[in-house]
Amino acid sequence: MFARVIRGPRDTGPHRYAFAGHEATIGRAQGNHVRLVQEHISRRHARLVKKDGRFVIVDLKSTCGTFVNGKRIPSPFVVRETDTIEIGDYTLALSNVDDAALADRTRQHFVAADPTEEGLLATIAAGDDLARSVYADWLEEHEQLDRAEFLRVQQQLRATAPDAEGFDALSSRLGALATGIDVAWRVVVARPAIERCSVAFDFRCPKEWGSLAPTDRDGVRACNACHKHVHYAASIVDARQLAARGHCVALDVTSARWDGDLGEPFGERVCRQCGMDVGDGPSHCPRCAAPIREVMMVGMIA
């Protein structure tokens, strides 16, 4: 089971929490599976239960309440992966997919519904931005509203400076939409920046995933700026493994991030609880909040 913070207080970045078993607690106090640190959040605020393949959230008589899709829940409530949970200033989404499964799905081929959709996707892959708006219209006509909005929000983000008002809200909305959309489709239309490129550009790689040429492998594209292959990563775990092997990567919008998350060292600092490699990063795991430990290398000197 995974819970992902898709929006939090201004000084709090996105986090992804993983936990085994069929139950997890959310609250302000140490010891919760998902710890949300704000004074008006109760020490033990809510409980998540997985039963018969469904997620159920229970408010533990909290002071400020637990909300799903903007409505306060008075009793145990079944939550879908496309729903959002609001606790204090935090918004969370749930997922039952692990990192290994996500990595496999980035390499699956997305099958278009008909020749029209196939043609639009081919035009988008060829770098035609206008085709994205046409495709969004087509998706709306076929009642695929989340995918249509995903494309439109993506285009709005492209036209908005990172420090401009509204950029954070657009980023959060894109992440929220992505959680309910299959990653195989996102690989086709996504536009993340290229990272971990070893070629020395003046600032950073001038390309983004949507501008790269498709190859015969799903989830892998060719860059004509550095003449290397770029790999799409659905999670930071997958991205760090690719980076450790020297690959350029494009990281999916749903992944947890932190400063220096794709930097070395690789495999030397890992989470005690879920095994996540965090490199030269935080003292606690961004995914499950457990303490980080150093991997001790033991050997013999000849």
Side-chain angles (χ1 to χ4, degrees):
M1 189 191 303
F2 293 87
R4 191 170 67 86
V5 175
I6 57 178
R7 185 165 52 251
R10 181 168 293 275
D11 60 346
T12 304
H15 291 284
R16 190 164 179 245
Y17 300 90
F19 28 86
H22 298 282
E23 186 171 320
T25 56
I26 303 172
R28 190 180 79 247
Q30 290 276 8
N32 285 292
H33 295 87
V34 180
R35 189 177 179 219
L36 307 179
V37 185
Q38 272 194 321
E39 284 300 319
H40 55 283
I41 293 176
S42 298
R43 292 176 60 80
R44 280 176 52 84
H45 195 104
R47 183 171 70 246
L48 281 168
V49 180
K50 185 180 177 185
K51 185 176 182 180
D52 300 327
R54 299 188 300 173
F55 297 120
V56 179
I57 189 163
V58 183
D59 184 80
L60 300 177
K61 298 182 180 179
S62 66
T63 303
C64 297
T66 302
F67 298 74
V68 176
N69 299 330
K71 296 181 179 179
R72 186 167 184 165
I73 59 169
S75 58
F77 190 89
V78 175
V79 184
R80 301 167 299 173
E81 292 188 33
T82 54
D83 292 333
T84 56
I85 300 167
E86 295 94 26
I87 295 177
D89 291 333
Y90 292 86
T91 302
L92 300 91
L94 302 181
S95 175
N96 197 30
V97 180
D98 61 24
D99 290 316
L102 278 174
D104 288 340
R105 284 162 62 184
T106 64
R107 293 181 278 274
Q108 291 180 2
H109 181 65
F110 175 75
V111 180
D114 59 26
T116 300
E117 183 176 28
E118 186 174 5
L120 285 167
L121 289 173
T123 306
I124 289 171
D128 187 340
D129 261 11
L130 180 60
R132 292 177 178 270
S133 297
V134 176
Y135 185 34
D137 292 340
W138 185 91
L139 289 167
E140 287 175 347
E141 290 172 4
H142 290 77
E143 298 183 352
Q144 297 184 49
L145 303 184
D146 283 352
R147 292 187 181 191
E149 186 181 356
F150 183 91
L151 286 175
R152 298 195 192 284
V153 172
Q154 236 182 191
Q155 294 301 88
Q156 288 178 272
L157 272 171
R158 288 272 298 165
T160 306
D163 58 350
E165 184 178 353
F167 184 87
D168 290 343
L170 286 170
S171 297
S172 296
R173 182 55 183 162
L174 193 70
L177 288 164
T179 60
I181 298 173
D182 187 71
V183 69
W185 180 83
R186 298 204 307 270
V187 170
V188 182
V189 302
R191 310 194 70 166
I194 308 305
E195 302 181 66
R196 290 291 301 182
C197 183
S198 58
V199 176
F201 294 105
D202 287 340
F203 296 100
R204 66 175 195 174
C205 178
K207 297 288 186 179
E208 43 99 333
W209 177 258
S211 67
L212 305 184
T215 68
D216 58 359
R217 290 184 290 167
D218 291 304
V220 180
R221 292 188 177 180
C223 177
N224 62 11
C226 67
H227 306 290
K228 295 175 64 176
H229 280 159
V230 179
H231 296 251
Y232 195 96
S235 72
I236 193 66
V237 173
D238 195 28
R240 284 188 60 79
Q241 291 172 352
L242 289 164
R245 297 197 291 271
H247 293 302
C248 300
V249 298
L251 186 54
D252 189 74
V253 67
T254 61
S255 182
R257 302 300 307 260
W258 63 91
D259 289 342
D261 51 14
L262 291 183
E264 300 179 7
F266 297 110
E268 294 183 17
R269 296 182 73 244
V270 299
C271 173
R272 296 175 183 273
Q273 181 166 299
C274 68
M276 183 177 182
D277 174 12
V278 301
D280 189 20
S283 60
H284 286 72
C285 180
R287 183 168 67 179
C288 70
I292 304 301
R293 64 179 172 84
E294 303 284 341
V295 175
M296 301 300 294
M297 304 300 293
V298 178
M300 297 179 63
I301 300 176

